Each structure stands twice: as C-alpha cells, then as structure tokens.
Amino acid sequence: MISGAKLANNPETQATDCIYLFAICINLRGKNDRFLHFIQKYVYLCNSLYNYNMVYNEIGKTGMLVSNLSLGASSLGGVFHGIREEEGIRAVHVAVDNGINFIDVSPYYGHLKAETVLGKALKEIPRDKYFLSTKVGRYGKDGVNTWDYSAKRATESVYESMERLNVDYIDLINVHDIEFQAGMEGGLQKICDETLPALVELKRKGVVGHVGITDLQPENLKWVIEHCEEGTVESILNFCHYSLNDTLLADYLGFFEQQGVGVINASPLSMGLLSQRGAPLWHPASRDLKNACAKAAAYCQEKGYPIEKLAIQFSTSLNPRIATTLFSSANPENVLKNINYVNEPLDEQLVSEVQAIIGDQMFVRWKNS
C-alpha cells in the first residue's frame, strides 16, 4: 500500500491517477530507473484510451504498455519495395496519431536507411508518445550484409542507432536474428556470454531500458533464455510464426510466460506471402508455399475481404499472451487501414476456408536469409 495514495472522483482523472500509481509500483519493484520517463508515457497512454479503440498490453514484466498493433519500420528502408521518404515519415506520424505507441527498427533494414528515415520522423514527435525498439548484431553496407555479435560492436551500434534516431535513450534493445550467430564461431553461447551482457551493462547505465532477442526460429529463442541468467532476456520477437499460415509460436507461449518473458509477434503478412501484391522476389519460402498463399489471397479478393485484413485481424485478436504484433508499411493510407482492421470483428469462417486452401503448406518453414 502506498501511503497517502488517493484517487480523484472524476473518472478520467482517476484513470490518470491509477497510471501514476502503476508507474510508482514499477519503480518500487526495481524494473526501471527512468521513473519520470515511464510516468510520462503512462499518462499519455491514459489520455489515449479516451481517443482510440486500441488495446494496450504489457510486454512481459517490463512495464511497457504497448498497442496490440505496432509499427515495424523495415519498410522505411525499402525492404519490400521502394518508398518516398516524405510519405514514409507521414506514415510514422499517422501511426502515432492513431494510438500506436511502439515502433521497432534495426540498422540492418535498408542498411541504415530505415533508422535514418525513422529518425527524421521522430524529430517531430514528443518522446513520451512512443516506445522505441532497435537491434544489434545484423548490419549491412554498400549492398553487403554483415553480422557481428561481439560486445564491442553491440555497444557501438547502440550509440550509433541513437544518433540516427535522434534520441538519447532506447526503450528496448534486441539482439537481431540470433540464428546467424548459431552458425558462427562460439554459436548461440556467444549471445549469452558476450552480446547480452554488453546490453545489460548499457541498461545498468541507463542508456537502454530493456533487453530482448529476436529470431525466426523460436527454438533458438528458448535455448538462449535457458542458457542465460534469469531475467537477462526480458522479451522475444518472433516473426512469421503467428500468422494465418503458421502458428508455431503458440507452442512456445507457455514457456515464455513461465520465464516472465514478453512476446512480440512480427510480420502478420508473413513477409508479404499473405498479400495481394505477393511475396517479394527475395522471399525464402518455397514455391509451393508461395503458390498456396497466392491462391488464398485470390480467394479472399473474390470474397471482397482483402487477405491483408484477415491476416492482421488473425494475428492481433486470438491470443492475449502476445503483447503486440508488428506490421510494416511506409504508406500512410495503409497504416490507417491496418489500424481500422484491428477494430473490426474477425471472420473466423473465412480463416478456416483460407487455411484449407493453404492446406499441406500450413506450418511449412524456411531458413532465414
């Protein structure tokens, strides 16, 4: 019990007071040293509840209450197709103006371009209106992909990202696509022994708020959590495994919950497989899976129900243990469209029909590339 705590009679003020008390509790349990930083975000969130229909969930035990639909900024780097920078910046503003408060990016996306464009967009947005997530370990320059999970490079990368993003603090820092380190010297153990400790040290210094890991393969995420000191990994980000064609992530939710690790789902469109446009040329999925998803998309189009709508609704509405689902778009109209999709009821019959069309290609996996 907090001595002297009293709630106002006005419902809106009362809700704001509750947010203040929640932030105090977070501080008391030692989960965050940046007390004012979180208070500001929760007050903003409280006010948002009166303006948006968005649902907000806590990522694990981080204290970060995030919108159940969040913005992935890979599209700002032209990962899926070319973009117009001004339009991409406006897409970020539309997302935040309509209740999205969690944005994820990486220096790898567009080989620094996504962070650079996002940084320009964030210049015009108050820092207390969003939680920011970026990554270390996977990079690229001059069209060449590189990987470096060393402590030194991870630390340098965080400061470089902050400069590009025009911020002095990162809410969530992730080790990016750990499966690549699995095939390098030191294996996944290096993530536990070197990369994560470097990020935890930055957390101790107040440079970052929380530490997570990301990967396409959920078994790798589980392995690292099991081989690290308890509490080191506060969240995981897994992509393409809680979507219409693959719900493998669901098999691991119990484990993550037991460990107190928050779950972020990404790519409800399965990196473009579940879209009218179709998967980009570089997509590593098999031809059979691409064809099956294309047939499903055509079927949805005949029904007058875009498969993108069904995919977004499916990934955000069926599992409360997933804190948020990241989608990516550099188109302001598509951002608003996706937000509206979340507020409409899911056609579960159509889900069954689409999954029947995908048929034996359900749960077919691919290696990251």
Side-chain angles (χ1 to χ4, degrees), residues 126-279:
R127 185 64 179 89
D128 62 354
K129 286 195 172 185
Y130 60 89
F131 292 105
L132 181 61
S133 164
T134 191
K135 308 179 183 76
V136 302
R138 191 173 185 184
Y139 312 99
K141 186 178 181 181
D142 300 326
V144 178
N145 296 334
T146 60
W147 296 265
D148 187 341
Y149 295 90
S150 67
K152 180 176 182 295
R153 185 69 191 102
T155 302
E156 291 171 347
S157 181
V158 170
Y159 287 103
E160 291 167 4
S161 288
M162 288 195 297
E163 185 173 349
R164 283 188 292 271
L165 292 163
N166 292 303
V167 297
D168 62 0
Y169 177 76
I170 293 172
D171 298 284
L172 175 62
I173 190 68
N174 302 279
V175 186
H176 196 179
D177 286 348
I178 59 175
E179 71 178 276
F180 289 102
Q181 176 55 42
M184 296 163 62
E185 185 178 352
L188 286 177
Q189 190 63 47
K190 183 172 181 176
I191 302 293
C192 302
D193 296 344
E194 189 169 341
T195 324
L196 285 169
L199 300 182
V200 169
E201 176 61 17
L202 290 177
K203 177 184 173 183
R204 187 190 67 78
K205 292 179 178 178
V207 177
V208 302
H210 304 281
V211 176
I213 54 178
T214 85
D215 202 37
L216 174 62
Q217 319 302 348
E219 55 267 39
N220 289 337
L221 300 170
K222 181 175 184 288
W223 190 96
V224 167
I225 291 169
E226 290 174 330
H227 290 79
C228 285
E229 183 178 344
E230 185 177 353
T232 298
V233 176
E234 299 173 82
S235 68
I236 64 96
L237 187 158
N238 183 238
F239 57 102
C240 298
H241 286 310
Y242 200 82
S243 54
L244 282 170
N245 61 300
D246 187 334
T247 55
L248 177 65
L249 177 58
D251 295 343
Y252 292 82
L253 292 177
F255 170 79
F256 295 136
E257 188 172 52
Q258 286 178 342
Q259 300 296 317
V261 174
V263 176
I264 300 166
N265 174 43
S267 199
L269 306 189
S270 238
M271 301 195 306
L273 281 177
L274 303 169
S275 69
Q276 297 173 71
R277 180 193 295 266

